[in-house]
Amino acid sequence: MFDKDYKIEDLMAFDEKYVLHTYARRKIRFSFGDGAKLYTPCSKQFIDFGSGIGVCSVGHGNKKLFEAIAEQTRDLIHLSNIYLIEYQALLAKKIIELCGYDMRIFFSNSKREANECAIKIARKFGKKNTQTTKDKIIILESSFYEFMDDLFLEKILKAKNINQIYDLIDEETCAVFIHLTYGEDGLGLQKQEVQKLTKILKEKNILLMVDETHSGVYRCGEFFASKIYGIVPDVVTISNGLGGGVPIAATLSNIKDIFEPGDYGSIFGGNFLSTRAALSVLQILEEEYGLGKISEISEFFNQYLEEVLKKFPCLFEKKIGLGLMCALYVKNEQIQNRILESAFEEQLLILKAGKNLISFLPALNISKEEITEGFMRFQKACEKI
């Protein structure tokens, strides 16, 4: 479970000395997990409302996922993509069946790589299907954060809002890349505006690409948030919850012949281990969705959020989000930081998003008991502010 030869102080010292300082580490050591619960070596229990930033979509220590991974590590972990990878083919088939889009898929390892592939598709489309080279891509400034800005920065234009997209479109534009659930002011884009944009881009032969790396794989209640918006994008990217903790990402494209062998590739993308894990995750979540459990749990979780919002108007302004991708607006950044610290003291893990959001991304199969216990701790944390 954990290395008994080292104390946490030793490990923190090693981390400080040998690991680049890109993260502000908390002095905590988790040794195992069970569902939405995490335990330290001394059995101190935390409730996890973050699930590794929405990555552990079927919770910690999931038996079905564990068995699939263990069995696959015994047989084959990795081979070159020049050979047939059984579970890659089966996973691609399953994703297409679940989303219902007529597309083909490229597998990679992360959100960044999935979006990089989308940009490659857009640029190749701009050269292949037009008389003049079209290589400009428009993104919504508020939709892309983290490390997106430096991806192929040349000829990527930022629109401040969805209306400004139309002002930036010209003869050289090949694609518009948006994130539906992280839009202007963090509120997500309006359904009618997105449908209007989709129609206009179709008329102009410009690709609509949607980043579903956070919102996909049932996180918003449907397999894709795009389904909720009533649109069919040309390109979709997914990652976070797909592998249940095993790194894997995918780029879906309705331009099925955009690549030929040798045009693009990934060394680790879609290997035996990651695709077997992802297929297991989708089988688990497909069953949960089919039984109505994801919808039920989402409603239960959001009811608690509404109660917190009403009980602490001095701390929170409003609730936003879809499904189990939700957040509370706090009054200011100082309150945000105090809530995060107070929740940690109450043994609850929640997430910081920007300067004024407390984000909640629990496992999609979190139990009602875990939700109830987690919100008891959250209310105690808020009462201390």
Side-chain angles (χ1 to χ4, degrees):
M1 297 253 230
F2 64 98
D3 194 331
K4 297 178 181 179
D5 294 334
Y6 293 106
K7 296 179 179 179
I8 189 169
E9 289 77 11
D10 298 327
L11 295 170
M12 291 293 289
F14 296 157
D15 185 84
E16 171 71 20
K17 183 175 181 179
Y18 298 114
V19 180
L20 287 172
H21 300 167
T22 55
Y23 306 104
R25 303 279 196 210
R26 284 191 178 275
K27 189 178 179 181
I28 188 74
R29 183 185 188 186
F30 294 113
S31 57
F32 70 98
D34 178 20
K37 296 183 285 290
L38 286 168
Y39 296 88
T40 67
C42 59
S43 298
K44 192 175 183 180
Q45 184 214 80
F46 283 69
I47 297 291
D48 185 6
F49 275 2
S51 66
I53 315 184
V55 169
C56 301
S57 51
V58 294
H60 303 290
N62 186 281
K63 185 179 179 182
K64 290 181 180 178
L65 179 57
F66 159 72
E67 289 174 350
I69 292 172
E71 186 177 275
Q72 194 57 51
T73 56
R74 180 197 64 199
D75 296 338
L76 279 172
I77 293 176
H78 179 83
L79 280 178
S80 167
N81 270 299
I82 65 172
Y83 307 110
L84 175 65
I85 298 173
E86 174 185 353
Y87 289 103
Q88 185 178 133
L90 293 174
L91 177 60
K93 179 175 180 290
K94 174 61 72 174
I95 291 172
I96 295 304
E97 288 173 351
L98 293 177
C99 73
Y101 296 163
D102 185 16
M103 296 181 171
R104 285 182 180 166
I105 301 177
F106 176 84
F107 289 104
S108 52
N109 307 303
S110 66
K111 166 183 176 170
R112 184 186 178 93
E113 290 184 352
N115 286 344
E116 177 182 323
C117 180
I119 291 171
K120 289 271 192 179
I121 289 171
R123 295 268 164 80
K124 196 164 175 56
F125 168 80
K127 293 178 181 178
K128 186 175 181 180
N129 294 287
T130 57
Q131 293 180 344
T132 58
T133 298
K134 299 170 63 173
D135 56 1
K136 287 184 180 178
I137 297 171
I138 301 169
I139 67 172
L140 270 179
E141 189 173 48
S142 54
S143 291
F144 291 88
Y145 41 91
E146 298 170 352
F147 315 112
M148 180 63 192
D149 289 351
D150 61 345
L151 271 177
F152 300 90
L153 188 59
E154 186 180 358
K155 294 202 172 181
I156 288 185
L157 307 179
K158 296 179 183 179
K160 291 183 179 179
N161 54 55
I162 198 165
N163 290 324
Q164 195 183 29
I165 289 175
Y166 302 113
D167 299 330
L168 296 176
I169 290 174
D170 60 20
E171 294 299 318
E172 295 182 3
T173 305
C174 62
V176 172
F177 205 174
I178 63 175
H179 195 312
L180 298 171
T181 51
Y182 281 107
E184 296 140 39
D185 300 322
L187 294 172
L189 303 179
Q190 296 298 312
K191 185 175 180 178
Q192 289 182 337
E193 291 180 340
V194 172
Q195 291 179 343
K196 175 187 172 183
L197 176 65
T198 303
K199 183 176 182 292
I200 291 173
L201 294 182
K202 190 74 173 177
E203 292 169 352
K204 293 180 177 291
N205 197 32
I206 295 172
L207 298 183
L208 173 65
M209 308 198 299
V210 177
D211 181 331
E212 297 247 23
T213 54
H214 286 276
S215 59
V217 195
Y218 298 110
R219 174 56 58 184
C220 288
E222 296 292 337
F223 191 78
F224 286 145
S226 309
K227 308 284 281 188
I228 299 171
Y229 278 76
I231 62 167
V232 179
D234 297 297
V235 178
V236 184
T237 59
I238 54 175
S239 65
N240 288 25
L242 183 57
V246 175
I248 184 170
T251 307
L252 291 73
S253 171
N254 65 11
I255 314 165
K256 294 183 175 182
D257 60 349
I258 192 67
F259 291 138
E260 296 178 0
D263 279 352
Y264 198 56
S266 171
I267 292 177
F268 294 103
N271 68 16
F272 281 91
L273 180 62
S274 64
T275 53
R276 177 72 183 276
L279 190 60
S280 176
V281 166
L282 292 189
Q283 289 167 345
I284 294 166
L285 293 179
E286 181 183 17
E287 182 178 353
E288 294 279 313
Y289 175 81
L291 294 172
K293 291 183 178 180
I294 292 178
S295 175
E296 181 182 347
I297 287 297
S298 174
E299 184 178 349
F300 190 75
F301 195 94
N302 278 274
Q303 284 174 354
Y304 269 107
L305 280 176
E306 293 287 356
E307 289 177 14
V308 168
L309 185 63
K310 291 176 182 177
K311 189 171 182 179
F312 300 99
C314 57
L315 301 180
F316 305 109
E317 294 182 353
K318 57 189 169 184
K319 180 180 80 71
I320 63 171
L322 290 170
L324 287 171
M325 183 179 184
C326 36
L328 291 173
Y329 261 97
V330 297
K331 296 289 185 178
N332 55 58
E333 190 175 5
Q334 183 182 12
I335 291 176
Q336 179 195 46
N337 290 329
R338 289 173 64 191
I339 291 172
L340 289 165
E341 289 303 318
S342 184
F344 187 76
E345 291 170 6
E346 294 297 329
Q347 295 168 220
L348 174 69
L349 304 183
I350 53 177
L351 300 168
K352 179 178 182 177
K355 293 182 178 180
N356 57 354
L357 283 176
I358 298 292
S359 181
F360 302 84
L361 297 168
L364 300 179
N365 61 346
I366 187 172
S367 70
K368 289 184 177 180
E369 291 75 19
E370 290 168 331
I371 293 172
T372 299
E373 175 60 32
F375 274 104
M376 285 177 59
R377 299 181 188 188
F378 189 57
Q379 291 197 34
K380 287 180 182 179
C382 292
E383 287 167 357
K384 291 161 60 177
I385 305 302

